[in-house]
């Protein structure tokens, strides 16, 4: 009698596991191109023109964007969330997913950024010569902030509004004495 419940349990487990086993046993789907954006407004311009109607959840993607969007031509859109850590983690999670074959895939990083109106207009393409990596931070245009306001650059997880994390936990740039989540200039 003890054997019957064990066999029933085994049969139920095999029934539930069969679709997962079949999914991993299938040949990986070859992906032609992956467009990588950071947040929804950047992604919107790709969804309709490329008919990215298929949503495929991928474990390890940023929680706000837990699925890639693909079309029948095997072109996909990955929205990673802002910041290099989210982009790196989401891209790694996607490329390690055994359901996809990226051996012949083109990756296109498409994003937006602000520009000084004296230097360019909306839609201007620009290439940076230097980059100061803030990680995930937000910056207010100094021309638009009150004179007695908070610092222009604040970390995403400060101890209080307009305050950076403690200097002992803040990331630092080599050779700099101030935490880099504050203004990087003296």
């Amino acid at each position: 009698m003890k054997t019957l419940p064990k066999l029933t349990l085994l049969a139920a487990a095999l029934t539930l596991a069969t679709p997962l086993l079949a999914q991993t046993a299938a040949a990986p789907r070859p992906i032609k191109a992956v467009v990588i954006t950071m947040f929804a407004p950047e992604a919107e311009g790709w969804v309709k023109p490329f008919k990215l109607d298929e949503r495929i959840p991928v474990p390890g993607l940023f929680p706000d964007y837990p699925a890639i969007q693909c079309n029948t031509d095997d072109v996909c859109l990955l929205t990673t969330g802002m910041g290099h850590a989210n982009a790196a983690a989401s891209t790694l999670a996607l490329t390690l997913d055994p359901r996809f074959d990226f051996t012949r895939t083109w990756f296109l990083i498409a994003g937006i950024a602000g520009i000084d109106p004296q230097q360019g207009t909306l839609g201007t393409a620009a290439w940076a010569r230097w980059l100061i990596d803030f990680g995930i931070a937000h910056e207010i245009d100094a021309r638009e902030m009150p004179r007695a306001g908070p610092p222009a650059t604040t970390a995403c997880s400060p101890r209080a509004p307009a305050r950076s994390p403690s200097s002992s936990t803040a990331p630092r740039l080599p050779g700099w004495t101030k935490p880099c989540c504050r203004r990087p200039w003296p």
Side-chain angles (χ1 to χ4, degrees):
M1 290 195 146
K2 291 182 180 181
T3 308
L4 186 58
K6 287 181 183 177
L7 288 176
T8 305
L9 184 60
L10 179 62
L14 287 174
T15 303
L16 292 173
T18 300
L20 294 175
L21 294 172
Q23 188 178 45
T24 56
R29 177 178 178 175
I31 302 298
K32 291 180 186 171
V34 176
V35 177
I36 302 172
T37 62
M38 305 307 134
F39 54 97
E42 290 178 344
E44 287 173 8
W46 297 92
V47 176
K48 284 185 182 176
F50 285 90
K51 298 178 180 155
L52 302 169
D53 300 324
E54 182 183 4
R55 297 183 60 78
I56 305 170
V58 175
L61 294 185
F62 187 64
D64 290 351
Y65 310 104
I68 61 171
Q69 295 173 260
C70 298
N71 65 18
T72 56
D73 293 325
D74 295 318
V75 173
C76 298
L77 173 71
L78 167 65
T79 304
T80 66
M82 291 191 293
H84 66 275
N86 292 333
S90 291
T91 304
L92 182 64
L94 176 62
T95 56
L96 291 178
D97 191 313
R99 296 176 293 171
F100 306 106
D101 176 5
F102 295 106
T103 56
R104 297 182 179 271
T105 304
W106 287 86
F107 288 85
L108 171 68
I109 301 171
I112 60 173
I115 190 167
D116 181 337
Q118 300 299 318
Q119 304 296 318
T121 62
L122 185 65
T124 298
W127 284 258
R129 290 191 181 119
W130 300 279
L131 171 71
I132 295 177
D133 187 2
F134 276 84
I136 301 176
H138 297 285
E139 183 170 358
I140 302 168
D141 186 329
R143 296 167 296 194
E144 298 177 3
M145 60 187 258
R147 291 183 192 261
T153 303
T154 58
C156 287
S157 56
R159 294 174 295 181
R163 292 187 62 195
S164 295
S166 71
S167 59
S168 63
T169 60
R172 296 179 183 275
L173 293 173
W176 289 39
T177 57
K178 294 182 179 180
C180 67
C181 12
R182 297 180 154 264
R183 294 177 190 231
W185 51 90

